[in-house]
Amino acid sequence: MGDRAPVHITIGGALPRGHLATFAAHAADYDLRTDWDSEPFDPAALAVGKPLELYGTELNGGQIPQIDAFCCEHGLPFRRWSGGCLGAFLPEIVLFEGSGAMRDYTASEDEYVLFPPSWIKSFTRLRDLKRALARAELTIPPLVLLGGNLP
């Protein structure tokens, strides 16, 4: 069964319309919704000009690996917060810029990145700390559907 935790993911970038059904199937697998207590995700109701925000509750480890993998495969930037489970794992924030590796950070239950004092003290210059803090933030662009259906 595993320990259960909530998740909130914000996704942006350009996705060919033909891949939307696959994405929606992954979202349905995790019972992701457009707000904490709303209806399940409906791809027909995508907001124009905004990133897609999805929420899930009671997910194993607070993880949605099929969604993460889909976004990475299709170059979709995302910011995912996963809640923690007391005695099992801490909350985390995972960032993906659309290419490269995902970056993960320890987080609070209210979706803020947390840096331990030992990590902060390791910086010798304030500007280096500020750069690291800025790197832990990511502005997610709107999710845009491209073209028609794929063959």
Side-chain angles (χ1 to χ4, degrees), residues 20-143:
L20 186 57
T22 301
F23 177 82
H26 292 317
D29 288 344
Y30 298 110
D31 192 27
L32 297 180
R33 296 163 181 264
T34 55
D35 208 337
W36 290 113
D37 294 317
S38 68
E39 296 298 315
F41 169 65
D42 179 359
L46 282 174
V48 176
K50 295 183 178 182
L52 173 63
E53 293 198 51
L54 295 174
Y55 303 81
T57 59
E58 299 298 317
L59 292 162
N60 189 20
Q63 302 295 304
I64 49 175
Q66 290 178 327
I67 298 289
D68 290 354
F70 182 92
C71 291
C72 290
E73 178 183 345
H74 295 284
L76 301 175
F78 70 85
R79 178 189 191 269
R80 175 179 48 80
W81 169 83
S82 297
C85 184
L86 189 60
F89 51 87
L90 295 171
E92 71 174 353
I93 290 176
V94 174
L95 303 176
F96 178 68
E97 294 184 37
S99 63
M102 291 186 287
R103 297 190 314 273
D104 62 289
Y105 300 90
T106 301
S108 66
E109 285 293 343
D110 50 357
E111 300 192 34
Y112 291 104
V113 171
L114 298 177
F115 296 111
S118 61
W119 184 83
I120 293 170
K121 289 177 185 176
S122 72
F123 289 96
T124 56
R125 291 187 263 173
L126 183 57
R127 72 175 174 207
D128 294 335
L129 173 60
K130 287 181 177 180
R131 285 183 187 140
L133 291 170
R135 185 165 155 71
E137 296 296 323
L138 181 61
T139 301
I140 304 298
L143 181 66

